[in-house]
Each structure stands twice: as structure tokens, then as C-alpha cells.
Amino acid sequence: MPNYTNSLWSDAVPPTTYAPLSSNLAVDVAVVGAGITGVTAARLLQSGGRRVAIIEARRVGKGETGKTTAHLTEALDTRYHTLISRFGVGGARLAAEGQRLAIDQIATLAHELQVLCDFRRVPGYLYAEKRSELAELEAEARAVEKLGLEASLTDEVPLPFPVARGLRFENQATFHPRLYLQALVEAATRDGVQLFEETQVVGIEESGGICRVNTDRGVVTAREVVVAAHVPISNRFLLHTKLAAYRTYAVAFEQPAPGADALFWDLGDPYHYTRSQKIGDRNYVVVGGDDHKVGEDEDTAIPFIHLENYVREKFGREVAATDYRWSGQIIVPVDGLPLVGRNSASTHIHVASGYAGNGMTNGTLAAMVLAEQIIHGKSRFTELLHPTRIKPLASARSFITENVDYPKHLIQDRLPYPGPEALAAIQPGEGQVVSLGGERLAIYRNANGELSALSPACTHLGCLVHWNSTEKRWDCPCHGSRFDPHGRVLNGPAMAALEAREIPDVPETEDEPRAPAMPGQEHAPTP
Ligand SMILES: Cc1cc2nc3c(=O)[nH]c(=O)nc-3n(C[C@H](O)[C@H](O)[C@H](O)COP(=O)(O)OP(=O)(O)OC[C@H]3O[C@@H](n4cnc5c(N)ncnc54)[C@H](O)[C@@H]3O)c2cc1C
Ligand code: FES
């Protein structure tokens, strides 16, 4: 089977080896997560005179930042004509300004730290491949003109296949994300930020103006906490109703000659995002897309086949075979803008999430906004991005569409699962949810052929996890929690591991057990 977790950036930097937390600690600001959001926030807060500790469950860059394709752009996934209808011209203009500030912040940090991360300013093209997409492209052109962005319609789109028309954005950017993150971490820790890896946050409390960050290795007390874990793990329910987890996929193919140094986004469904990257003397075309909601594609190898076919069709058969295939999660906000600011009902716990596919810029912007709020008390983005903002009319449709999935998954979880006869078909290194001895179990077979069992109930709100065969882990379809084959949390909102279970001794066939009662039901219904 191909390696589906090999990103183009994987070999660029050796893994970091920061020690875990070994005793309780007190700091001014505790930052949870060492991706672009957490590390940028830590650097800015430390530059502002705060004592900062970063607590990372795994290793630096092991989250989504290590999987990005690093388009740094003002062209947000939610189109500006939609943002204008939801947030008005002023709100949409401020949203665009935030992206511009984030790109400039990355440029400044890369320059100050003398990071050789291949940061470069490039144009970006939103393009209509088919004439039927022209109306949407033109609506977006009118919207960005209204907002004063430097962008214009063009018939010259430097792709090796014909397109109907493009909207060219000037002065966008791109870089090598792992080299940038590594340099930022080294500078921050050299200048006093404490970084603890392999330290899992299991709870965050606030009382009397002091926050306690409980980890599996000790307690960090802090005046302020920045939750930069990609999802708001400090919030059990409310914020998750405004967010939806999607999987996105990427491949990088070596090309005989460099492609145009620009960013490209199509208007198709499923959509594609494309750019070039030179590494050493090799030229790559990097293409991403084929997104779907987490847990809704049973075979996660299929999007890779679609992407590879797409690259061969569009970029010619001479592109070499690829070893670079990877995927990750993006967290999509219902109204199109990220959630950045104080957690609901908290004064000193701050969250940042809902970046959609613009997390390199949105993560940097979130770090800037939170650092400014903590140091100076406010930011001009506070109101626009506030996590508890209510835009009921503007986003009601997408709110309902996304949130219907949580009860839908709870109901789907009650449908029959395969019984004991399925055990023999589980290959080494694979997993499946199976119905055994009256309960459903998440079964994993290790490389030696031994089976182990977990409760499949996600420790966030109880949906049943699905096996992800390309990344070899359990994914929760409701809010995107991920667990390794042994049930350990890889990413929240869940903070506790899946519970271990015994595998019962059962005959090869047995009746499907009655479904457990739904929350609020006294008895399980008869199937
Ligand atoms: C294939 C792909 C392509 C993409 N392309 C682009 C692009 O071109 N442009 C763009 O702008 N964005 C892109 N994105 C999105 C972008 O990469 C992400 O939004 C961004 O990296 C998120 O950064 P982050 O710091 O918020 O999260 P992460 O990088 O995921 O960092 C969060 C960290 O928190 C840690 N953590 C989680 N829970 C805990 C806990 N309980 N205790 C301690 N630590 C914890 C995790 O281990 C992780 O290291 C892409 C994403 C993917 C998957
Ligand atoms: S992530 Fe919410 S129930 Fe699993």
C-alpha cells in the first residue's frame, strides 16, 4: 500500500526533542499547541514581555501545520461576495485586511529571524475552468473591487491547460512551512519561551482570575491561556456547533520544468488548489483538494486516486510517479470567518479555530489578535472574530446544514455493524468497528496479527469513531476528534483516550445487539 502520510515537507527538518513537563509550573501565559497559531502567539507574547510556556501533546509541527500546502493569500475560502452579504462591506474589508496583515507578519518574522524558508511574493489566480463558473468569478471580481483589493479579471492564467477566465490577486505569498515553523520555535525558545512536548492537556479551568492547565504530566498555572490546538478543546459544546471538520488531501509530483510561480484555486466541486515548489534541484507541482466531511468517505484512499488522475490529466503524463501524498483536517466555520477570542463564559481563556483552508494566514492573524488582546486589552478584530458572535440570519442555513450531522451520526451509530465474522478480514495494521458479545467495539489488529479492543464512543460527545485506513487511526465524524490505533488522543475536542475493552469470546455469528438508548430516551427502542 502507498504511504499516505508523506508530506513534501516531511524530510526538511529533524524531529524536535523538547522534554515533557516534569513539574508544576507558573507562567503569565500558557499556550496549548505548537502549530503555527501557538508558536506565533508565544513568540509575539514573549516579545511583549510575557513569560510563556507552550504545551504540546506530540511534537512541534505534527498537527495540521506540518500538512499544509502553504498558500498565503487574501482570497479566502468563503468568497468575499458572501462575506459582504453576511458582515457588510466594512466587515469583509476588515477580514481581507487581516489576511494582508498576516502575510506581512510572516514576511517580517521570516526576515527578522533570517529564516531561509523560501518565502516569496507571488500572484494568486481564482479561475473559472468552465464558462458556467464565469458568473461566480465575476461576482467575486465585483466584490473585491468594492473592498479595494489589488485584483483584476484576466484571460492570462499561466496554467498548462485552458481555462475560461481568472481573477488575479497581486502580492500573495508562499513559503516552506516546516522551515518557517522550526526557525520560529528555535527563536522563541532561545529567547525564553518554555516548550514542553509529549505533554497532553486534559483539562483547563479558570477560577478567581487564575487558570489551571491540567496535563498528564503536571499542572501549569497561568493568568491567561491561549488554546491553539486547532479546535477549541476548552469548550465542550457551544463553539463546536459553529464548526465542521473536513478532510482535505494533497499530492506533490515532480515536474521536468518549473511551473509558474503562482497560486491557483479553481471554482469546481470538488475543488483544487495548486502551486509550485522547488526543493533542492527538483521542481514539484503541489495539488490539493477533494475535501469531504470527516467520517463521510469510507475509503480515504479514493480522494488520492482522484487527485493523482487530476494531476496527470491536467499537467501531462510526463509528471513523475509520486511518493508524496498526505491529508489532514480543516475546520470550517459556519459563517465563513474564524472564531478568535475569549472562550464563551471565560475571561482569561482564549480560543482560535475555524480557519477553513486558510489556516496559515488565519492562524497567524489569530496569534496577532490574541497577543494584542492579552497585552493591550483589545484588538480592532475583537468584534468581527469574537467566538460567541451571533449572526443567526446570515448563517442560519449553513448552521443547520452542518449541525444536522451530529444527531445524524448519533442515529447512524445505531445502525447494524458487522458481527464477529468480520474479525478475520481485519488485516494487520487495520481497524474496524465490530459488534461483539452485545456491544460495539473498535477492533485493531497489530503488525503481529494480535487484536485489541476499545470502546468506539468518542470521549467528546459520544459519536462512534470510524477507522481511517490511510492515516491508520480512529476519526470521529461529529467534531473531528482523532485517536491513534490504541485510543490515545491525537487531536481534540476529545481530551480523554478511548476506553480499553476486553474482546469477548463469541461464536463466529451472533445477533446484532439492541441499540443503546439515545440521550434523553429512557429505553432503547426495538429495532
Ligand atoms: C492538506 C492541507 C492543506 C492545507 N493548505 C493550506 C494552505 O494552502 N493555506 C493555508 O492557509 N492553510 C492551509 N491548510 C490549513 C492549515 O494548514 C491549518 O489550518 C493550520 O496549520 C492550523 O494551524 P494550528 O496551529 O491552528 O493547528 P496545528 O498545526 O494542528 O497545531 C495544533 C497543535 O495542538 C496540539 N494539541 C492538540 N490537542 C492538544 C492537547 N490536548 N494538549 C496539547 N497539545 C494539543 C496538536 O498536537 C498540534 O500540534 C491546509 C491544511 C491541510 C490539512
Ligand atoms: S468529536 Fe465530538 S463527539 Fe467526537
Side-chain angles (χ1 to χ4, degrees):
M1 208 212 259
N3 181 350
Y4 291 112
T5 56
N6 192 24
S7 93
L8 187 59
W9 333 111
S10 305
D11 308 328
V13 290
T16 46
T17 53
Y18 294 93
L21 184 69
S22 56
S23 58
N24 293 350
L25 181 75
V27 287
D28 296 328
V29 188
V31 175
V32 182
I36 193 161
T37 310
V39 176
T40 310
R43 174 69 180 168
L44 297 177
L45 286 159
Q46 169 244 323
S47 300
R50 300 298 187 274
R51 291 174 305 139
V52 183
I54 305 178
I55 306 149
E56 166 57 50
R58 294 179 277 161
R59 298 264 171 213
V60 170
K62 283 287 173 196
E64 305 316 305
T65 303
K67 300 172 185 169
T68 187
T69 51
H71 294 228
L72 307 176
T73 175
E74 288 166 305
L76 288 166
D77 279 6
T78 303
R79 304 278 168 245
Y80 282 108
H81 59 266
T82 306
L83 291 177
I84 290 174
S85 70
R86 290 177 181 170
F87 297 94
V89 171
R93 189 174 285 138
L94 191 56
E97 201 185 325
Q99 301 303 300
R100 169 61 46 212
L101 287 173
I103 297 172
D104 291 347
Q105 175 71 82
I106 291 170
T108 305
L109 284 169
H111 180 73
E112 270 173 21
L113 304 175
Q114 299 183 346
V115 189
L116 298 174
C117 63
D118 204 13
F119 177 89
R120 51 203 198 277
R121 304 274 183 176
V122 294
Y125 296 86
L126 180 70
Y127 63 92
E129 202 170 338
K130 302 185 207 125
R131 299 201 64 76
S132 56
E133 295 160 353
L134 278 175
E136 188 181 350
L137 188 77
E138 284 160 8
E140 190 61 356
R142 287 191 294 277
V144 298
E145 190 185 358
K146 204 179 274 179
L147 300 181
L149 270 66
E150 218 186 318
S152 54
L153 286 168
T154 174
D155 293 326
E156 306 292 320
V157 178
L159 280 166
F161 52 90
V163 307
R165 224 173 174 200
L167 176 60
R168 177 179 156 124
F169 291 76
E170 305 299 336
N171 207 15
Q172 311 300 291
T174 189
F175 67 168
H176 189 306
R178 288 297 280 122
L179 293 176
Y180 174 77
L181 188 69
Q182 186 84 354
L184 206 54
V185 163
E186 281 168 10
T189 51
R190 184 195 60 217
D191 293 345
V193 169
Q194 301 186 69
L195 168 56
F196 304 100
E197 291 186 319
E198 297 194 329
T199 304
Q200 174 95 28
V201 172
V202 294
I204 303 171
E205 299 158 20
E206 179 182 339
S207 166
I210 296 291
C211 302
R212 277 172 65 90
V213 180
N214 301 315
T215 81
D216 58 352
R217 312 253 186 186
V219 178
V220 178
T221 44
R223 177 116 182 101
E224 312 280 344
V225 179
V226 172
V227 181
H230 198 225
V231 283
I233 58 171
S234 50
N235 191 288
R236 187 129 183 99
F237 189 72
L238 183 66
L239 298 187
H240 299 284
T241 63
K242 302 179 180 186
L243 300 169
Y246 282 74
R247 289 206 73 71
T248 186
Y249 296 79
V251 292
F253 279 68
E254 195 176 339
Q255 287 183 298
D261 203 8
L263 312 175
F264 302 95
W265 318 286
D266 72 14
L267 285 167
D269 181 18
Y271 81 107
H272 301 93
Y273 44 97
T274 301
R275 77 171 180 94
S276 299
Q277 177 72 40
K278 190 164 184 172
I279 295 190
D281 57 1
R282 292 166 187 250
N283 296 297
Y284 293 93
V285 56
V286 185
V287 179
D290 239 80
D291 303 9
H292 61 83
K293 282 197 90 170
V294 169
E296 290 203 339
D297 205 330
E298 283 303 319
D299 186 348
T300 45
I302 288 173
F304 287 108
I305 296 170
H306 292 163
L307 275 186
E308 290 180 36
N309 289 343
Y310 174 86
V311 177
R312 290 190 192 285
E313 183 198 324
K314 300 290 183 189
F315 290 83
R317 303 231 153 244
E318 70 273 19
V319 290
T322 186
D323 278 333
Y324 294 113
R325 300 176 184 84
W326 69 99
S327 66
Q329 275 188 24
I330 54 174
I331 306 295
V332 177
V334 286
D335 66 10
L337 289 183
L339 311 183
V340 180
R342 287 194 177 88
N343 192 20
S344 46
S346 306
T347 316
H348 299 284
I349 301 173
H350 311 259
V351 295
S353 188
Y355 302 157
N358 307 107
M360 304 309 284
T361 41
N362 273 332
T364 303
L365 175 66
M368 295 162 71
V369 170
L370 294 183
E372 200 180 351
Q373 278 179 190
I374 289 171
I375 295 169
H376 301 296
K378 63 175 173 21
S379 151
R380 64 202 171 91
F381 291 91
T382 301
E383 201 183 324
L384 182 71
L385 303 182
H386 202 286
T388 56
R389 66 179 177 261
I390 302 169
K391 288 266 168 190
L393 290 178
S395 57
R397 215 160 131 207
S398 43
F399 179 84
I400 290 161
T401 312
E402 297 300 356
N403 280 287
V404 91
D405 283 352
Y406 171 56
K408 184 183 88 185
H409 282 295
L410 283 175
I411 289 161
Q412 276 177 351
D413 292 351
R414 299 157 50 73
L415 299 175
Y417 274 75
E421 70 285 354
L423 288 181
I426 302 176
Q427 296 299 309
E430 296 294 337
Q432 189 174 353
V433 178
V434 177
S435 191
L436 285 181
E439 67 172 334
R440 294 187 177 105
L441 296 173
I443 304 283
Y444 173 71
R445 189 184 292 281
N446 71 14
N448 300 327
E450 294 148 357
L451 294 174
S452 55
L454 300 164
S455 161
C458 174
T459 53
H460 177 224
L461 293 176
C463 293
L464 295 199
V465 295
H466 292 216
W467 179 249
N468 177 329
S469 61
T470 49
E471 299 222 339
K472 309 289 181 215
R473 61 181 192 214
W474 303 103
D475 288 346
C476 179
C478 284
H479 313 102
S481 289
R482 284 165 283 170
F483 304 85
D484 79 5
H486 310 290
R488 285 183 290 256
V489 179
L490 291 171
N491 221 94
M495 285 201 266
L498 298 176
E499 285 170 24
R501 291 275 194 272
E502 292 295 322
I503 300 182
D505 238 349
V506 286
E508 277 251 321
T509 54
E510 65 171 15
D511 292 336
E512 169 73 8
R514 281 181 59 170
M518 295 273 284
Q521 272 179 332
E522 213 172 307
H523 304 290
T526 310

